[in-house]
Structure formats: structure tokens, C-alpha cells
Amino acid sequence: VQLQACGGGLVQAGGSLRLSCAASGRTFSSYALGWFRQSPGKEREFAAGISWSGGNKDYADSVKGRFTISRDDVKNTVYLQMNSLKPEDTAVYYCAAGAGIGVSRHVDRYDYWGQGTQVTVSS
């Protein structure tokens, strides 16, 4: 599975962005998907995840109520809608796909990673 993330950019605090991650290769619909983020000097951290069926979703406490993850298996794309953005949301955002797992917060449970897209939120 090859993943290509896009949609990042510069936005003012309180604004919104929608990230997209398009997949190609193996059967997309059988993979759990996740969005992670990494700020300079920090470890990569979980932001949101969705099960292969789309029936289960999980969010980090820091983004709950502001971010929404969704998937479109026809378009082989996973989305992250980010609202009410804060300066602390500034990071490189990565999409990831994992085979044979449920929704997971753990980096090492995912098999494939996109290249990352920069999100910068100004105060």
C-alpha cells in the first residue's frame, strides 16, 4: 500500500483544514487507518484512527471534539477534518495503514506510512 497525504497548510487559530490521504496498491478496505502527528523534538503521537469497517473511531484527548476521521473506500481515501485549530496542533501529520488490526494508537501496529503533510497554526 502506498499512501499520499495532502491538505496541510498555514491557518490561523480557530480555522479549519481537511487532510486527505489517498492509497494505492492492495485492498484499502481491509486496513485500519490512522492519523499521527509529530512536532520538532517530540515523538510521533496518535491523533485519530478508524477501523477497517469504519464502525469504530478513536481520538486523542487533545483533538476529541475538534477533529473527525472518515474513510471513503470507493476513493481509497482517508480524511481528517480539523476544526477549531490551535497553535499546539502545529505538526507534520502522517497517515498510516495497518493490516489485521482494530483501531490502534500505537505507531508500531501500522505497516504503511505516508510522507507527511505540514500543518501550521498561527496565533
Side-chain angles (χ1 to χ4, degrees), residues 21 32-36 46-50 69 78 94-98 104 110 113:
C21 178
L33 303 167
W35 285 98
F36 290 75
F46 172 80
I50 186 168
I69 188 171
V78 59
Y94 298 89
C95 57
S104 176
Y110 291 83
W113 291 83

Side-chain angles (χ1 to χ4, degrees), residues 11-26:
V11 64
Q12 289 188 332
S16 298
L17 283 174
R18 188 176 81 154
L19 306 184
S20 301
C21 178
S24 60
R26 297 185 179 180

Side-chain angles (χ1 to χ4, degrees), residues 2 7 30 35 46 48 64 69 81 83 103 107-108 111-112 123:
Q2 292 81 42
S30 65
W35 285 98
F46 172 80
K64 195 172 295 182
I69 188 171
Q81 178 66 44
N83 298 328
V103 181
V107 170
D108 58 4
D111 305 297
Y112 304 99
S123 58

Side-chain angles (χ1 to χ4, degrees), residues 36-108:
F36 290 75
R37 63 187 186 182
Q38 189 168 19
S39 303
K42 295 186 178 180
E43 292 187 353
R44 193 168 298 186
E45 65 174 10
F46 172 80
I50 186 168
S51 62
W52 66 270
S53 68
N56 292 317
K57 300 179 183 179
D58 188 24
Y59 298 94
D61 289 344
S62 58
V63 309
K64 195 172 295 182
R66 299 187 297 120
F67 290 11
T68 301
I69 188 171
S70 61
R71 63 187 296 161
D72 185 333
D73 290 343
V74 174
K75 296 182 178 180
N76 282 1
T77 301
V78 59
Y79 304 97
L80 186 67
Q81 178 66 44
M82 305 186 295
N83 298 328
S84 302
L85 283 162
K86 304 175 181 179
E88 50 263 45
D89 294 319
T90 295
V92 177
Y93 283 71
Y94 298 89
C95 57
I101 65 172
V103 181
S104 176
R105 296 186 172 202
H106 301 288
V107 170
D108 58 4

